[in-house]
Amino acid sequence: MKKDKLYFLTFLSIAVIFLFVALIASQYFIKVSANQLIEIQVESSKREADEFSKLIDFQLSSGIKKEEIVINIQQIIENSNNDTWFISVFNWGGKEVCHPDKTKVGQLVKSNETLLSSLKEKNNSDDLFDILMLKSNQSTSEIIHISPISNSDLIVAANVNIKSISAQMNTLKNNFYPIFLVMGILVILFSFLAVRIIGSAYEKQLELKNSSLTSEVVNLSKLNSDLVSYKERVAETPEKNTTEEPLESEKQRILTYIRNELVPIAIKDIAYIYTENTITYVVCFDGKKSTTNMSLDDLFTNLNSALFFRANRQFIISIAAIDKIIKYGNSQLKILLQSKTSEEIIISKNKAAEFKQWLNI
């Protein structure tokens, strides 16, 4: 039940995050696409206006009368498509001379000077997009570029139909939103499936790990139980291990040094022996520490193997000094002593099996 709730919250989180990102990203992509579309159309209209201006200038230079040229241009552009971008001609007095809509010929030009100056100074499609959207409910068309004709009072203008551009932008938005919707559903679905698959794989790993930990806990419990049992057997026969015959040559004590004083130590009082910086130290249960000239190898040969274990190259430990056995690293064991020591007594993976067998003697 908890897992189902977790997966549901994960699905909900992915959906909310995507919707938030998509809301911002969709507006950005729509504006970028609209800017690119507008910029292309603006440049095309500018070139067309400049070409018309050059053509009229050439005709005037060839001696053709202005009135005749105006009539010809009007016939060319009359009833042409003025749904989006179109060409018109007006004079210095601001009156329309030629226009696709013949009814507007002779009327004063009404256009946004801010738009015209913005395009002239910055030539920035971002400004055009913002201004066009602002003016979409205020006017029908706007002049976006003018090309004066030399030696004449005529000016060729490139115009944009605001209503049509606004409709194009709405169409663009309507095309973008379904794409983002489909993409969002796919992203959310695949993300959720990925989370489920990864989560299931992780749960299996946790189950295996928990199973392994359970097995290790059982093994450690058995090992510590064996330790307690072994201590009890040793306590019952403190002098000799019951499983071995007494050895006449077995030492009962060793000679150690405390500073310059020679001190005999009973082997039954030794908690552990270790080496540090080539010096061998003997530590008793009461915490007293002394040194010896013998190496660990020589010492171990003189100790009862039923009571002492060579944990590693640095430590020999007494069965009676062991307080607890815990797992350490990869199949290693860590020995905690009753006598606190700053050193960690680690039994390697290869030595661990020998240690377990030693406890089961």
Side-chain angles (χ1 to χ4, degrees):
M1 188 68 179
K2 289 183 178 179
K3 289 192 294 184
D4 293 337
K5 184 178 180 180
L6 179 62
Y7 285 132
F8 174 75
L9 291 175
T10 302
F11 173 79
L12 192 62
S13 299
I14 294 173
V16 170
I17 291 172
F18 179 84
L19 289 175
F20 177 74
V21 173
L23 182 64
I24 298 174
S26 62
Q27 298 299 320
Y28 172 77
F29 285 124
I30 289 172
K31 188 170 183 178
V32 169
S33 300
N35 287 339
Q36 291 178 347
L37 177 62
I38 292 172
E39 190 172 1
I40 292 172
Q41 292 177 335
V42 165
E43 292 302 319
S44 177
S45 297
K46 285 182 178 180
R47 285 195 299 270
E48 186 177 0
D50 291 338
E51 289 172 0
F52 254 93
S53 177
K54 290 179 182 178
L55 176 61
I56 296 173
D57 184 55
F58 176 76
Q59 290 179 339
L60 290 172
S61 301
S62 299
I64 302 176
K65 294 182 179 180
K66 185 181 74 172
E67 291 76 10
E68 185 178 348
I69 294 173
V70 169
I71 293 173
N72 292 335
I73 293 175
Q74 179 61 35
Q75 290 178 350
I76 293 172
I77 66 174
E78 189 174 339
N79 296 324
S80 62
N81 185 7
N82 62 348
D83 290 339
T84 51
W85 309 84
F86 59 92
I87 297 296
S88 66
V89 180
F90 62 93
N91 57 27
W92 287 357
K95 290 185 178 182
E96 296 282 3
V97 176
C98 300
H99 196 281
D101 185 359
K102 192 174 181 179
T103 59
K104 293 188 177 181
V105 174
Q107 295 182 7
L108 290 175
V109 175
K110 295 180 180 179
S111 188
N112 184 6
E113 294 182 2
T114 304
L115 172 62
L116 187 59
S117 61
S118 175
L119 288 170
K120 186 175 181 181
E121 294 174 5
K122 299 180 181 179
N123 194 24
N124 192 332
S125 59
D126 290 345
D127 294 334
L128 178 60
F129 175 81
D130 294 335
I131 296 175
L132 287 179
M133 294 302 99
L134 182 64
K135 292 291 181 180
S136 61
N137 296 322
Q138 300 178 14
S139 59
T140 303
S141 63
E142 294 286 348
I143 295 175
I144 61 168
H145 178 68
I146 57 174
S147 180
I149 301 170
S150 303
N151 303 318
S152 174
D153 65 344
L154 299 178
I155 300 173
V156 179
N159 299 262
V160 58
N161 189 313
I162 301 296
K163 299 293 184 181
S164 177
I165 292 297
S166 179
Q168 287 183 2
M169 297 304 103
N170 290 331
T171 302
L172 187 63
K173 290 179 182 179
N174 294 334
N175 290 334
F176 258 97
Y177 290 139
I179 294 173
F180 269 96
L181 179 62
V182 173
M183 185 174 66
I185 293 173
L186 292 176
V187 169
I188 293 171
L189 180 62
F190 285 120
S191 298
F192 179 71
L193 290 176
V195 169
R196 284 297 300 267
I197 293 172
I198 295 172
S200 298
Y202 183 68
E203 285 175 6
K204 289 181 180 178
Q205 289 183 352
L206 285 179
E207 289 175 359
L208 291 174
K209 190 174 181 180
N210 290 335
S211 176
S212 177
L213 285 175
T214 302
S215 176
E216 289 174 356
V217 169
V218 171
N219 291 334
L220 283 175
S221 298
K222 184 178 183 302
L223 200 58
N224 281 283
S225 297
D226 293 339
L227 174 63
V228 173
S229 299
Y230 197 2
K231 282 184 176 182
E232 291 175 351
R233 292 200 302 270
V234 170
E236 291 173 358
T237 56
E239 297 296 330
K240 297 293 180 179
N241 186 275
T242 56
T243 61
E244 294 185 354
E245 292 296 328
L247 296 175
E248 294 180 0
S249 60
E250 183 179 327
K251 287 189 175 184
Q252 299 299 312
R253 62 186 61 84
I254 60 174
L255 292 177
T256 63
Y257 295 89
I258 298 178
R259 296 184 180 88
N260 295 324
E261 182 183 353
L262 189 62
V263 180
I265 300 293
I267 289 178
K268 63 183 179 63
D269 295 331
I270 297 175
Y272 61 95
I273 306 170
Y274 72 98
T275 61
E276 185 177 17
N277 298 325
T278 69
I279 300 175
T280 303
Y281 295 91
V282 179
V283 181
C284 296
F285 286 101
D286 58 6
K288 291 182 180 180
K289 184 187 294 186
S290 56
T291 63
T292 177
N293 293 330
M294 299 176 68
S295 67
L296 284 186
D297 291 334
D298 293 336
L299 283 170
F300 190 64
T301 57
N302 293 310
L303 297 173
N304 188 341
S305 61
L307 301 177
F308 291 89
F309 182 76
R310 181 70 181 271
N312 49 44
R313 293 181 180 180
Q314 191 180 2
F315 277 89
I316 297 173
I317 54 177
S318 168
I319 180 67
I322 300 175
D323 181 44
K324 191 180 296 182
I325 304 167
I326 62 176
K327 184 179 180 299
Y328 182 84
N330 185 17
S331 301
Q332 295 176 321
L333 298 175
K334 183 175 180 180
I335 306 301
L336 300 182
L337 300 179
Q338 293 175 352
S339 299
K340 302 302 180 182
T341 173
S342 59
E343 300 292 337
E344 290 186 342
I345 303 178
I346 307 300
I347 298 179
S348 67
K349 179 180 179 181
N350 296 330
K351 199 83 172 175
E354 182 183 344
F355 179 72
K356 293 175 182 177
Q357 186 178 3
W358 178 67
L359 289 179
N360 285 318
I361 293 176

